Amino acid sequence: MRPALIVHGGAGSPPTEEHAERQAAVDRSLEAGWVRIGEGALEAVVATVRALEDEPALNAGIGACFNRDGFIELDAGVMEGTGLRAGAVGAVRDVRHPVELARALLEDGRHVLLVADGASAYARDHGVEMADPTLFETPRQRRNLERLLVEADTVGAVARDVEGHLAVAVSTGGVTGKLPGRLGDSPVPGAGFYAQDGAGAICGTGLGEAFLRLVLSHLAVVELMHGMAPDEVARGAIEHLEAKTGASGGVIVVGAEGEPAFAFNTPFMPVAMRVG
Ligand code: ASP
């Protein structure tokens, strides 16, 4: 099977002068993940999203957006398509790499989603790296909060390895000015991400409430399972998002075979991909 990896840095409308910087961040993260593709799809997507969480130009980890009260609450999720194992975390403030914590939950297997203090306690107890919450703060996101610019630029990666196994990882600060405790689609399997070997895997970005209401990622994987091509599914998912909710966003998709695909209805979504 030809391996594939596709990465996005969020669907949105950032100022034009930020486009090149955001695209470069996505390109760097693709390389960080691609060198791990030989270790499997899950390793590749986690390594990619870990790198994205270190890019201050993107809304995940360092560079994540602020909530209404001026705090950063981070969400992340991972899923692998062989055993349909998933792990996700929501509203964590002091975990250095939320995607690593999501991965730890996937491996643990007892629970799919942990939030807030419980998630942080799990991280501390299991040796997941912690961080001072101020580490994630950036002047760019402070300005966005002051102007209430609705920044919503989740990051994500979807991969297929040589054995045909599929995996997806996602990480986000959510949306600027969100209410404390708000979870979007990104930590919810089926809404913001999904993976099923033999069918496909997908990661979404955009208004999380809309993805949640449509359970859009699972819907897309069902279409892949029924034989639709990844580019048709990507386009169809965004058309459905717009038609049913009026929301904007984007998706990246990898099928059981062939080239990755993506679609978005926002002015900008940085994407990078590799096929082996
Ligand atoms: N989907 C994310 C959320 O609603 C935001 C984004 O993808 O831009 O939390």
Side-chain angles (χ1 to χ4, degrees), residues 10-11 59 75 152-154 172-175 182 184-186 204-209:
N59 176 21
D75 306 332
D153 300 310
T154 295
T172 189
V175 294
R182 176 263 190 191
D185 59 320
S186 301
T205 164
L207 188 64
E209 283 72 9

Side-chain angles (χ1 to χ4, degrees), residues 52-55 58-65 72 74 95-98 135-138 155 171-173:
L52 290 161
E53 287 176 341
D54 285 347
E55 294 285 354
L58 303 173
N59 176 21
I62 297 171
C65 63
I72 292 175
L74 303 165
V95 175
R96 177 68 186 84
H97 284 286
L135 176 78
F136 303 117
E137 298 180 5
T138 54
V155 303
S171 185
T172 189

Side-chain angles (χ1 to χ4, degrees), residues 121-212:
Y122 182 96
R124 271 193 302 276
D125 291 349
H126 292 81
V128 176
E129 188 183 350
M130 307 301 289
D132 184 315
T134 58
L135 176 78
F136 303 117
E137 298 180 5
T138 54
R140 177 176 73 87
Q141 292 288 11
R142 270 272 171 239
R143 284 195 301 275
N144 287 342
L145 182 64
E146 278 154 18
R147 295 178 204 154
L148 257 186
L149 272 184
V150 178
E151 267 291 285
D153 300 310
T154 295
V155 303
V158 181
R160 180 181 66 225
D161 61 31
V162 279
E163 287 174 355
H165 298 312
L166 298 168
V168 53
V170 51
S171 185
T172 189
V175 294
T176 302
K178 66 186 181 180
L179 294 180
R182 176 263 190 191
L183 298 182
D185 59 320
S186 301
V188 180
F193 63 102
Y194 204 76
Q196 184 177 317
D197 285 7
I202 179 167
C203 180
T205 164
L207 188 64
E209 283 72 9
F211 279 75
L212 278 165

Side-chain angles (χ1 to χ4, degrees), residues 90-114:
V92 292
R93 286 164 60 171
D94 54 0
V95 175
R96 177 68 186 84
H97 284 286
V99 72
E100 295 282 7
L101 179 53
R103 165 76 188 273
L105 288 171
L106 177 152
E107 300 292 352
D108 181 312
R110 277 178 295 171
H111 300 303
V112 169
L113 175 59
L114 284 185

